[in-house]
Amino acid sequence: MKVLVAGGAGFIGSTYVRLRIDAHPDDSVRVLDKLTYAGRRENLDGLPENRVELVPGDIADPDAVAAAVEGCDAIVNFAAESHVDRSIESPGEFIQTDVFGAFVLLEAARAAGVRHLQVSTDEVYGSIESGSFEEHSPLDPSSPYSASKAGGDLIVGAYHQTYGADALIVRGSNNYGPRQHPEKLIPLCILNALAGDPLPVYGDGMQVRNWVFVEDFCRGIDLVLERGEAGQAYNVGGPDELPNIEVVRTILMLTGRDESLIDYVTDRLGHDRRYSLSSEKVRGLGWEAQVGFEEGLRRTVEWYRDNEWWWAPIRGGEYREYYERQYGRALRG
Ligand code: NAD
Ligand code: DAU
């Protein structure tokens, strides 16, 4: 089997490519990736060239997509603008990739008659005070990012219902692990802590996120690709629900820093208070999270400590300007 992995040069997509190659020794992967600020060739370093091919291209470009789909037996779509804060600053790119691009890819899958798995997020359900979202819970997105992801999900549902397309959705909770861009809370705080810089906590820091180690999430995606039912959505949520401030404190503990580095800053606009997913349905397929938060975070901190070659160029580039705009101060170190 040859799988087209759109967005396979990003954080989760590249983890999935590694897992797919390991778990299916006879299979190969073609990665279609626009290589935006978040996508990096280095994320695919060390993978066998005869089994993993990288094709630079945009999922919103029908010609690029048609060429990339040629010869593939299934599509997994990770390609997206993925950062909530950037969607607040500049929503248009999110609509273009996460809605229109998702449509272009789905249309190509339908034309080729291949399975299409859309990677989506718990954020499409919006915030929940108590209990957990199930797959039939109504979509109620809050940010331009989550609204555009919800748009992608609705088109997938419509393609199954209208055309009988072999399309399905996996909705994940907050991922963490190696190779996550430092714009996101956990790598941002790890790198700032290692440098002795302040850790910016939005609002009161009591927003709750449901953390899943990236390899666990990718195992869930692969299982649903192999065994999921067309037209269905599957939640894949992590075992740990934690307020942000606890995550930040654990990072300080693991990096040997004290709490004087915590810096409460202006809250994110429209900030969702709590996410929580019920993963009963995917458990029914045989999925279970294997990595708890403390172990996963320890592994993640170690990876960032050991791989300065990976993150130093990011902190030296466009990210510096983004950081200044977002946090109103320069990035040191
Ligand atoms: P990421 O930002 O690290 O990677 C996104 C990748 O998509 C990059 O390689 C980028 O170059 C590529 N890309 C962006 N626009 C493209 C386009 N128009 N055409 C082709 N490639 C394009 O994101 P991530 O955190 O790895 O998330 C991957 C997917 O998983 C996204 O769809 C996201 O919505 C979803 N998701 C993420 C999380 C999370 O916690 N990070 C949780 C649940 C779901
Ligand atoms: O829930 C799944 C989603 O998780 C994915 O769909 C998104 O692609 C992914 O980016 C992530 O979104 P979040 O907004 O939850 O992740 P982020 O790391 O940006 O923020 C996590 C929490 O930490 C959130 O409540 C905001 C807060 N935060 C974030 C940053 C960057 C801070 O307090 N300070 C920060 O500097």
Side-chain angles (χ1 to χ4, degrees), residues 193 197 199 248-249 252-253 255-262:
D197 284 343
L199 277 47
V248 169
R249 288 198 176 113
L252 289 170
M253 187 261 291
T255 51
R257 299 288 185 181
D258 66 53
E259 297 201 2
S260 62
L261 283 185
I262 295 176

Side-chain angles (χ1 to χ4, degrees), residues 82-85 120-123 145 172-175 180 183-186 188 200-202 207 209 211 244 265 268 271-272 275 327:
S82 70
H83 191 38
V84 174
D85 292 320
S120 187
T121 167
D122 58 1
E123 299 203 12
Y145 162 69
S173 61
N174 278 66
N175 278 236
Q180 185 169 34
E183 68 193 357
K184 307 283 164 58
L185 178 72
I186 286 184
L188 185 157
V201 174
Y202 294 161
Q207 305 84 1
R209 293 294 182 267
W211 293 98
N244 293 334
V265 300
R268 172 184 280 175
H271 200 170
D272 282 333
Y275 297 140
Y327 298 100

Side-chain angles (χ1 to χ4, degrees), residues 23 39 111 147 210 213 259 305:
N210 185 183
F213 193 61
E259 297 201 2
R305 263 194 219 281

Side-chain angles (χ1 to χ4, degrees), residues 48-77:
E49 281 174 23
N50 59 340
R51 295 180 62 207
V52 180
E53 173 194 7
L54 171 62
V55 179
D58 187 341
I59 60 162
D61 173 351
D63 293 337
V65 168
V69 170
E70 191 81 38
C72 290
D73 307 294
I75 301 176
V76 183
N77 181 27

Side-chain angles (χ1 to χ4, degrees), residues 103-168:
F103 150 72
V104 171
L105 208 52
L106 186 58
E107 179 59 26
R110 180 170 80 96
V114 300
R115 172 157 273 210
H116 181 280
L117 189 153
Q118 169 74 2
V119 180
S120 187
T121 167
D122 58 1
E123 299 203 12
V124 297
Y125 299 116
S127 197
I128 188 166
E129 268 183 39
S130 59
S132 300
F133 287 118
E134 297 180 349
E135 288 79 356
H136 56 75
S137 301
L139 305 194
D140 186 19
S142 308
S143 70
Y145 162 69
S146 51
S148 60
K149 291 298 291 185
D153 286 14
L154 291 175
I155 300 168
V156 170
Y159 262 56
H160 174 72
Q161 184 75 14
T162 308
Y163 306 114
D166 181 7
L168 65 179

